[in-house]
Amino acid sequence: SRSSPSRAEVHSIPLPFLSIRRPDMAKAELPAEDLQRIWKACDPNGNGYVSCAEFDKVVAEEWPQYDVKPAMIMAHKMASGGDGLVVKKEFKRLLYCLDWCNDVFKAFEEMDTEGDRRVSLEEFEKGANEVLGLNLGADDLKEAFESIDTNGGGQILFGEFANYVVQKKLDIVTPPDVADFHFD
């Protein structure tokens, strides 16, 4: 199984961060000088583009709690507009996407009790109502699982899960920790 979403999965996901506004300070809402410093760290050669590898390095070094590869890769693909590179005008979107994708991945991880980055029908039946607040019966849970498993592999992958969260407009937000948003 693959651990990162396909390009088709990522680009079929709308940009939910536009409607999700948390009361805490998100990375994209940092003071301008902090955003400039972060941009420069992400664009070390000054070419005006941030590759996935450049962003990954900064996330790993500065925000290790957000260093979840599937979420980071998905966030970069969502923000890059399809060309694989993030320009300055897409940078705030990248930071919102990173925050949102990590929140969604945490919910995905709660259901993935085997830790294999896939959710089986059994794991979904045990965790979906609590983690996602679905309040569905057994038959409806099985039907939901089958609709989420779009590739028919018998497992829900992170990209499929994120699509479902967006389609159902589920409120996936982890409690903020102010320390998560400090960049020094």
Side-chain angles (χ1 to χ4, degrees), residues 1-6 9-10 69-70 73-74 77 157-159:
S1 81
R2 60 177 198 235
S3 63
S4 61
S6 72
E9 287 172 329
V10 170
K69 297 304 181 219
I73 291 168
M74 180 178 278
K77 285 183 180 180
L157 305 175
F158 176 58

Side-chain angles (χ1 to χ4, degrees), residues 15-32:
L15 301 176
F17 60 89
L18 293 175
S19 63
I20 296 174
R21 295 285 186 232
R22 290 166 38 160
D24 61 310
M25 180 190 282
K27 286 176 190 52
E29 295 167 359
L30 290 170

Side-chain angles (χ1 to χ4, degrees), residues 25 30 57 78 89 101 115 117 127 141 157-158 162 171 173:
M25 180 190 282
L30 290 170
K57 182 178 187 292
M78 288 171 70
K89 72 179 183 177
C101 288
R117 293 192 172 178
L141 282 170
L157 305 175
F158 176 58
D171 188 17
V173 178

Side-chain angles (χ1 to χ4, degrees), residues 27-28 35 55 63 91-99:
K27 286 176 190 52
L35 289 171
F55 188 59
W63 297 305
F91 191 59
K92 278 189 172 187
R93 179 181 355 173
L94 174 60
L95 298 179
Y96 277 118
C97 286
L98 177 65
D99 195 35

Side-chain angles (χ1 to χ4, degrees), residues 32-149:
E33 58 274 4
D34 287 340
L35 289 171
Q36 284 293 333
R37 188 169 5 106
I38 298 165
W39 171 259
K40 286 179 184 176
C42 290
D43 181 24
N45 58 10
N47 67 358
Y49 299 99
V50 174
S51 70
C52 191
E54 290 168 331
F55 188 59
D56 180 35
K57 182 178 187 292
V58 171
V59 170
E61 291 173 356
E62 302 297 336
W63 297 305
Q65 70 277 21
Y66 287 89
D67 191 19
V68 176
K69 297 304 181 219
M72 189 279 308
I73 291 168
M74 180 178 278
H76 190 275
K77 285 183 180 180
M78 288 171 70
S80 69
D83 63 3
L85 298 169
V86 172
V87 296
K88 208 169 209 177
K89 72 179 183 177
E90 298 166 329
F91 191 59
K92 278 189 172 187
R93 179 181 355 173
L94 174 60
L95 298 179
Y96 277 118
C97 286
L98 177 65
D99 195 35
W100 181 81
C101 288
N102 269 275
D103 285 344
V104 173
F105 193 83
K106 286 176 187 173
F108 178 78
E109 227 174 11
E110 280 186 55
M111 285 195 294
D112 177 22
T113 57
E114 291 184 21
D116 59 359
R117 293 192 172 178
R118 300 175 297 174
V119 174
S120 67
L121 175 59
E122 182 181 333
E123 288 171 316
F124 186 77
E125 289 172 336
K126 287 181 182 175
N129 281 332
E130 182 180 333
V131 173
L132 300 176
L134 297 179
N135 299 318
L136 299 176
D139 290 341
D140 290 334
L141 282 170
K142 185 174 182 185
E143 187 177 314
F145 179 88
E146 290 169 355
S147 74
I148 299 168
D149 180 22

